[in-house]
Amino acid sequence: MSTNISKKKRDDLLDKIKQIRAFIAAAPQDENTGNLLSYLSELEKDVNGKKYGLVFEEHREEIDEVLDTHTPVLTEDADLFIDHGGQMNFLLEGDNLAALKLLEKTHRGNIDLIFIDPPYNTRNGDFGYDDSRVDLTDTFRHSKWVSFMSERLLVARRLLKNDGVIFIAIDDNEQAALKLLCDQLFGEENFLASIIWQHSIQPKGYSGTFSVHHNYILCYQKTAQFVLNSLPRTDEDNKAYANPDNDPRGRWRSGDVRNALYRPNLIYDIISPSGNVIKPCANGWRWSKETVEEKIKSGEIIFSKDETRIIRKIYLDTLEGRTPETIWFGKDVGTTRSAMSEIKEIFGSSAFGTPKPTSLIERTLRLISRTDATVLDFFAGSGTTGHAVMKLNAEDGGTRRFILCTNNENGICRDVTYERIRRVIDKEDYAASLKYYKVDYVPISDRMYYEYADELLRHIRELVELENGINFTGNEEIAIVLTDEELEIFLDDEGICKRCRKLYMGHDVLLDAQQAQALQEYNIAVNVIPDYYYKELEG
C-alpha cells in the first residue's frame, strides 16, 4: 500500500494549527487573540484546499472593475440592421464577459452549441489583457490566460442546455491547461474528445524543429443528456463496400468475427459445408453457436472459398452514418490556408489574420441532431461561425440561428465580423437577418435602483428581441409596451391593434378589465416580459 506523503504533511500541519488554536483560546481574550484565531482559520482553509487539478493565480481584469460599479445593457445600431428574411441572428459588440452576463439573462440553459476560438496565448503576444499584450516576459501569462478563460467558461456552461455541447479550439500553448480547466468546470465525466485538426498540409518550419500541422478542439457536453450525431457518409467512406457475390442486400464489407474479451462459452468449432473444422480465436467467437448458425442461414456469415474461415458481412444499407473520428483532416474540413482563401474571396484581401474555415465549423454543427439549434460564439473573430450556420441552413433547410460576440479592437466587429455576414448574405442570398447591438453600461454604484430604473427600461426592448429572436422595428405583427402610458397609446390606435398579433408587455404593466377585453377582441396574444432581466438589482 502506497503512502500519501503530502497528506501526512498536511495532517501534521493541521495538528500544529489545532494546538496553536487551543493555546490561544486558553489565553486572555482581546482583539489580538481574536485576529490570531481568524488567521488560523484562513491557514486551515488553505491547507484543506484543492489538492489535484489546475492551480493558477486568479487575476482581476479591467472589465471586472467595470462590472462592479455598472450593469451592462444593449443598444441597437439600427443603421446596421440586415433584414433578409429567415432567422433573426445577433452580433454583440463589446467585451465578451459583459455580453455573456447579458446572455445569462436571455439564454440561460438555452444554447445548443458553443464554438469558440479564443486567443491561444502564444509566444507572440496574441493575448491582450487589460490593454496590454501578454508575452514571454510576463511571469503570470499562463495564470492570466486561465483566469480570463475561467470566468467566461463558467458563464458559458450556464448558458448551455442540458443536452448542449461546447467546442473550444486551442493549440499546444494552453491545451494542457485548458483540458484541466474544463475538467474542473464541466466535469471530467463530461469530456467527449480532444479532436486533432490538421490545420496545414504544406511543410513549414526550420531544420531541427518539428513542422506543426495541427491544433486541438476540446469537446465537452454539459450533461450525459447530449447525443452525439453520426456524420453523413461520403463516397470515400463507402469505397470499401462492394458486392462481389451479387448479394440481393447490396454492397458489403467484411467485419470482425472474433470476440475482444475471453469468453469460454463462446469457444466452439464451426463446421463448414464440406466438413472442414474452423477453430475459434483464443477469446472465442463474437456470438453464440446458435446465433452464428442463424447468420449462416440468412447469408450474413459466409465461408471463404477454401472454407478455412468465416466472413461476416456488414451491409452498407444498414449504416445510418459514420462514427465521428478524433482526427479531422484538412482535406475534409479545411485548413488555415483555405480559410484565408475564403476571407480573400469575400473581402478581396487578408482582412483577418487567423480565420477558421467554414467547413470546420460545419463539422461541429453536424455533430448535433437539431437543425433549429441556437449557436453561440463569443470569440467571433472574422464571423466564421455565423457564416457556417447560414451555409449549412441553406444546404439542409435548417433553421439554426447564431449569436456572435466580439470586441471592436481595430474595428474588427464592425469592419470584419459584421461586414463578412453582410456580404455573404448579399452574395449567396441567404435567408438570414441580423441585428447589431453594442454593449453599454449604466452606472449603479452609490445609486438606488429607482434612480436608474428608467435608464434600464430604455434597453429592455433589445433583451426581448435577443431572447425571442424577433425584430420590433417595422414589424406590424408584434409590439412592445413597457409602461401603463405606452399601453394606453397602443390601444388608442385602432389601426395598429388590428394589425398586431402579439404584444410583449412589461411585467409591471397592469391591465384593467376594459383593456383586457380590447386585447381579446383584437385577438392579440399577450406575452408578459419576465422580471428576471434586472431583478437582482432591485434588492
Side-chain angles (χ1 to χ4, degrees):
M1 181 178 179
S2 65
T3 301
N4 188 330
I5 298 174
S6 296
K7 183 177 184 304
K8 187 175 185 304
K9 289 180 179 179
R10 287 195 302 272
D11 290 343
D12 289 343
L13 184 55
L14 289 170
D15 185 60
K16 290 182 175 71
I17 291 174
K18 183 178 179 181
Q19 293 177 42
I20 296 171
R21 178 181 284 112
F23 178 80
I24 295 173
Q29 299 299 295
D30 56 21
E31 184 178 349
N32 290 330
T33 56
N35 288 338
L36 289 172
L37 289 172
S38 176
Y39 299 156
L40 286 175
S41 294
E42 292 177 14
L43 288 171
E44 193 172 44
K45 182 179 179 181
D46 282 345
V47 173
N48 283 318
K50 187 175 181 180
K51 301 302 177 293
Y52 175 78
L54 186 62
V55 178
F56 60 95
E57 298 281 345
E58 293 186 44
H59 290 261
R60 280 180 68 80
E61 306 170 53
E62 183 179 341
I63 186 62
D64 291 313
E65 307 295 338
V66 173
L67 293 174
D68 279 348
T69 57
H70 297 71
T71 190
V73 295
L74 293 174
T75 302
E76 182 179 6
D77 188 333
D79 292 338
L80 301 182
F81 176 47
I82 300 172
D83 187 5
H84 203 252
Q87 300 304 304
M88 188 62 62
N89 304 287
F90 297 87
L91 174 55
L92 313 185
E93 176 201 310
D95 188 285
N96 62 3
L97 182 58
L100 286 168
K101 297 290 186 183
L102 286 165
L103 284 169
E104 255 199 295
K105 301 175 186 296
T106 61
H107 284 78
R108 188 182 181 109
N110 279 305
I111 299 293
D112 295 282
L113 181 147
I114 296 173
F115 181 95
I116 55 172
D117 184 23
Y120 290 177
N121 202 16
T122 65
R123 293 168 173 81
N124 298 323
D126 70 314
F127 171 44
Y129 195 90
D130 282 3
D131 297 326
S132 63
R133 312 314 290 180
V134 177
D135 56 28
L136 283 175
T137 63
D138 192 325
T139 55
F140 290 103
R141 72 185 188 95
H142 292 294
S143 283
K144 285 181 177 179
W145 187 88
V146 172
S147 186
F148 170 87
M149 290 298 297
S150 178
E151 275 203 275
R152 287 152 180 81
L153 290 176
L154 272 171
V155 183
R157 185 186 182 280
R158 293 194 288 267
L159 292 176
L160 282 174
K161 289 181 178 178
N162 284 336
D163 61 350
V165 64
I166 184 170
F167 296 88
I168 310 171
I170 199 68
D171 73 359
D172 283 314
N173 284 283
E174 296 292 0
Q175 187 272 342
L178 181 63
K179 174 66 168 64
L180 286 172
L181 178 63
C182 289
D183 283 347
Q184 178 178 311
L185 298 181
F186 291 91
E188 189 177 355
E189 70 280 5
N190 289 315
F191 169 71
L192 292 177
S194 178
I195 298 162
I196 295 172
W197 168 47
Q198 183 191 23
H199 64 64
S200 64
I201 298 174
Q202 300 298 322
K204 59 181 181 177
Y206 302 95
S207 177
T209 65
F210 283 100
S211 180
V212 178
H213 288 255
H214 74 281
N215 283 159
Y216 304 93
I217 301 175
L218 295 186
C219 179
Y220 282 79
Q221 61 187 8
K222 184 174 181 179
T223 72
Q225 292 182 31
F226 173 70
V227 177
L228 184 65
N229 214 23
S230 295
L231 292 171
R233 298 189 67 83
T234 64
D235 290 341
E236 180 71 16
D237 299 323
N238 299 335
K239 67 181 183 180
Y241 292 81
N243 193 2
D245 57 351
N246 294 317
D247 190 313
R249 292 191 60 179
R251 295 165 63 185
W252 57 273
R253 69 170 176 83
S254 60
D256 202 349
V257 295
R258 301 167 299 175
N259 199 42
L261 301 174
Y262 175 70
R263 296 280 296 277
N265 60 316
L266 298 181
I267 296 177
Y268 54 86
D269 293 340
I270 295 176
I271 308 301
S272 75
S274 63
N276 192 39
V277 177
I278 303 174
K279 296 289 185 180
C281 69
N283 289 337
W285 300 111
R286 192 173 186 134
W287 310 275
S288 68
K289 187 173 184 179
E290 294 74 19
T291 300
V292 168
E293 290 174 352
E294 290 175 6
K295 290 181 181 294
I296 291 173
K297 286 181 182 178
S298 70
E300 184 181 338
I301 288 179
I302 59 175
F303 293 89
S304 61
K305 288 183 178 180
D306 59 6
E307 296 187 6
T308 59
R309 59 190 177 89
I310 59 172
I311 300 170
R312 172 200 179 193
K313 291 183 177 182
I314 298 178
Y315 293 96
L316 180 59
D317 67 0
T318 65
L319 304 176
E320 295 182 357
R322 187 179 90 246
T323 301
E325 303 90 357
T326 56
I327 299 179
W328 294 2
F329 295 102
K331 64 183 178 63
D332 299 320
V333 298
T335 62
T336 301
R337 177 172 289 189
S338 65
M340 288 300 299
S341 296
E342 287 181 329
I343 290 291
K344 288 180 180 179
E345 185 178 347
I346 296 167
F347 289 96
S349 63
S350 301
F352 187 78
T354 56
K356 292 290 182 288
T358 52
S359 48
L360 177 72
I361 314 298
E362 282 184 73
R363 170 67 64 88
T364 67
L365 296 173
R366 294 181 190 278
L367 293 178
I368 65 172
S369 58
R370 295 186 67 96
T371 58
D372 61 347
T374 300
V375 180
L376 170 65
D377 183 348
F378 52 90
F379 288 97
S382 67
T384 305
T385 298
H387 188 170
V389 167
M390 294 186 294
K391 186 177 177 183
L392 189 56
N393 280 345
E395 180 181 320
D396 66 8
T399 55
R400 304 168 188 85
R401 67 175 76 240
F402 62 81
I403 301 171
L404 307 180
C405 311
T406 184
N407 61 33
N408 201 33
E409 183 179 345
N410 299 320
I412 182 176
C413 189
R414 172 62 184 85
D415 299 334
V416 180
T417 319
Y418 170 80
E419 192 62 22
R420 177 180 188 173
I421 300 300
R422 186 192 68 79
R423 292 189 184 196
V424 294
I425 287 176
D426 184 56
K427 180 183 178 182
E428 303 296 337
D429 196 27
Y430 288 139
S433 297
L434 181 76
K435 278 186 164 285
Y436 190 109
Y437 292 157
K438 294 181 179 179
V439 177
D440 204 347
Y441 302 92
V442 171
I444 61 174
S445 181
D446 300 324
R447 301 173 73 192
M448 300 297 292
Y449 179 74
Y450 71 85
E451 296 180 83
Y452 57 85
D454 287 345
E455 293 178 62
L456 298 181
L457 198 63
R458 290 195 289 270
H459 301 277
I460 293 296
R461 178 182 65 85
E462 287 87 349
L463 293 177
V464 175
E465 288 182 327
L466 179 60
E467 179 171 11
N468 296 279
I470 58 175
N471 165 50
F472 287 116
T473 306
N475 189 342
E476 295 185 335
E477 293 191 351
I478 59 174
I480 181 170
V481 296
L482 300 172
T483 65
D484 293 332
E485 292 76 14
E486 288 181 2
L487 178 62
E488 291 178 11
I489 295 170
F490 172 78
L491 290 173
D492 282 343
D493 192 322
E494 184 177 349
I496 290 178
C497 290
K498 284 184 176 179
R499 293 188 294 271
C500 183
R501 299 275 60 86
K502 183 180 290 186
L503 176 67
Y504 288 84
M505 190 171 67
H507 69 277
D508 53 357
V509 174
L510 299 177
L511 287 172
D512 60 32
Q514 186 178 355
Q515 291 170 331
Q517 184 179 352
L519 291 172
Q520 187 174 5
E521 289 176 355
Y522 287 122
N523 195 27
I524 298 174
V526 176
N527 276 33
V528 177
I529 299 169
D531 65 348
Y532 52 65
Y533 290 151
Y534 293 106
K535 184 70 175 176
E536 77 280 2
L537 299 174
E538 295 182 26

